[in-house]
Amino acid sequence: MLNTFAHPRENEFMRELRLVSQKHTYGYMLSPPEEGQLLSLLLKLMGAKNTIEVGVFTGYSVLATALAIPDDGKVIAIDVSREYFDIGLPFIEKAGVAHKVDFREAPAKPILDELLADEANEGMFDFAFVDADKGSYGEYHERLLRLVRVGGLLAYDNTLWGGSVALEDDSELTEDDQEIRGFIVAFNAKIAADQRVEAVQLPLADGVTLCRRVV
């Protein structure tokens, strides 16, 4: 996948950002290029214009989004760390899409609640991508379902958590992985039973779950 599709067709600025980000102490948090391509394709197919991203790190997926949406589009990018985003900002600027990015340094739930406080924002977004604290995925989902329009798409990263979701509950994992596995298993069950969305889980990267809002 990487050698045939992802790397040869990766945008030059995204490639530069990926290579820098991979050297970071938390480089494992970077969205992989094949996932960036998937998001880009989905955004273009949808004709998405207004998007939200929860969890940004250095902004690789933000850059993928900004490149895919029209010139007057906007991605509200939310993260608790401006420091990491500033690593990617020069590449976003070089790509000529910085004007599409509205970065907000804060915990995501208050920002989403602030958006929801204005009724005009309900159903105003076409797409949302979540790659943040796994224990809050369910709470993000409830908020984003109100912000994303009917027919819009919500995407959640890491929903296989290294394949651990397929293991038995008493499998040997680190304490942290066991806790996050529990969060993801519960979230996957929530989405599987949610009649408000049409959902599919893809075995791409570390698992990507797509939810099309139907009501």
Side-chain angles (χ1 to χ4, degrees), residues 8 10 16 36 53 67 69 81 100 107 114 128 138 142 150 162-163 193 205 214:
E10 187 177 29
E16 291 177 10
E53 181 156 335
L67 287 166
I69 60 178
S81 173
K100 303 182 192 180
E114 181 182 330
E142 294 303 320
V150 173
V214 295

Side-chain angles (χ1 to χ4, degrees), residues 148-213:
V148 171
R149 62 175 172 80
V150 173
L153 195 66
L154 296 83
Y156 296 94
D157 200 15
N158 304 117
T159 59
L160 292 179
W161 199 247
S164 65
V165 295
L167 300 177
E168 299 296 329
D169 290 341
D170 59 355
S171 297
E172 291 189 11
L173 295 168
T174 66
E175 185 176 341
D176 285 346
D177 278 336
Q178 190 68 264
E179 180 182 37
I180 296 174
R181 174 191 177 275
F183 292 147
I184 294 296
V185 167
F187 177 72
N188 289 344
K190 173 185 175 70
I191 297 301
D194 192 342
Q195 297 302 306
R196 299 168 297 177
V197 298
E198 181 179 3
V200 61
Q201 187 178 40
L202 303 176
L204 181 80
D206 191 30
V208 180
T209 297
L210 304 177
C211 303
R212 176 178 173 268
R213 182 184 169 190

Side-chain angles (χ1 to χ4, degrees), residues 32-43:
E34 67 271 26
E35 187 173 29
Q37 285 186 334
L38 173 66
L39 298 180
S40 176
L41 182 63
L42 291 172
L43 288 161

Side-chain angles (χ1 to χ4, degrees), residues 49-52 118-127 146-150 213:
K49 181 176 178 180
N50 296 307
T51 77
I52 301 176
D118 183 351
E119 293 183 0
N121 286 324
E122 296 205 19
M124 287 299 295
F125 294 87
D126 304 298
F127 179 83
R146 294 173 58 191
L147 290 166
V148 171
R149 62 175 172 80
V150 173
R213 182 184 169 190

Side-chain angles (χ1 to χ4, degrees), residues 130-149:
V130 180
D131 183 9
D133 54 311
K134 313 311 172 189
S136 297
Y137 268 29
E139 294 176 89
Y140 295 148
H141 183 68
E142 294 303 320
R143 289 165 169 82
L144 291 169
L145 267 182
R146 294 173 58 191
L147 290 166
V148 171
R149 62 175 172 80

